[in-house]
Amino acid sequence: MNGSNRIMDRALEEARAAATRGEVPVGAVIVLGGEVIASAGNRTRELNDVTAHAEILAIREASAKLGSERLIDADLYVTLEPCAMCAAAISFARIRRLYYGAEDEKGGGVDHGGRFYAQPTCHHAPEVYSGIAEQQAAAILKDFFANRR
């Protein structure tokens, strides 16, 4: 198993943990220099905070660890295509590469919706790689929402 798959497996674990907490199952992991420096799952309901998406929480954790709002040379792995808010945060943090699993045709902000990184006002666009563990990520989401109905 290559490094990307191992890291995405950890993001999938964060997504499953979020589902167990009753949160939309999205997980994120930030890697710098081959080392995981932050990981998180959604906590919007737990924290009563609409900004507590997995990506935002992981960025906050990594920034606190590094003592910097810039995460230059860091890579973010997330189980679902980031929304516009998270895409903006990824840009502002200057994350180098974004790897995501499942596409989000309704709420995505990277390859769907507003396509944040394609906007002329976007100052930094990470390299984007989609479809990483896509089937597993999509299955976690599908199961979560099927159990809610």
Side-chain angles (χ1 to χ4, degrees), residues 8 11 26-29 54-55 76-82 98-102:
M8 188 56 89
V26 177
V29 175
E55 302 96 318
L76 172 65
Y77 293 76
V78 62
T79 58
L80 181 65
E81 176 183 350
L98 166 64
Y99 299 87
Y100 75 82

Side-chain angles (χ1 to χ4, degrees), residues 47-106:
L47 301 175
N48 295 314
D49 179 356
V50 297
T51 70
H53 289 196
E55 302 96 318
I56 301 285
L57 295 174
I59 288 169
R60 288 176 183 163
E61 180 183 336
S63 293
K65 241 178 221 174
L66 297 176
S68 174
E69 79 276 14
R70 301 276 192 234
L71 301 176
I72 296 167
D73 295 327
D75 299 334
L76 172 65
Y77 293 76
V78 62
T79 58
L80 181 65
E81 176 183 350
C83 69
M85 174 184 70
C86 291
I90 291 162
S91 174
F92 297 155
R94 303 297 193 265
I95 288 176
R96 176 178 63 175
R97 292 186 193 109
L98 166 64
Y99 299 87
Y100 75 82
E103 292 184 337
D104 188 350
E105 293 180 11
K106 288 183 182 178

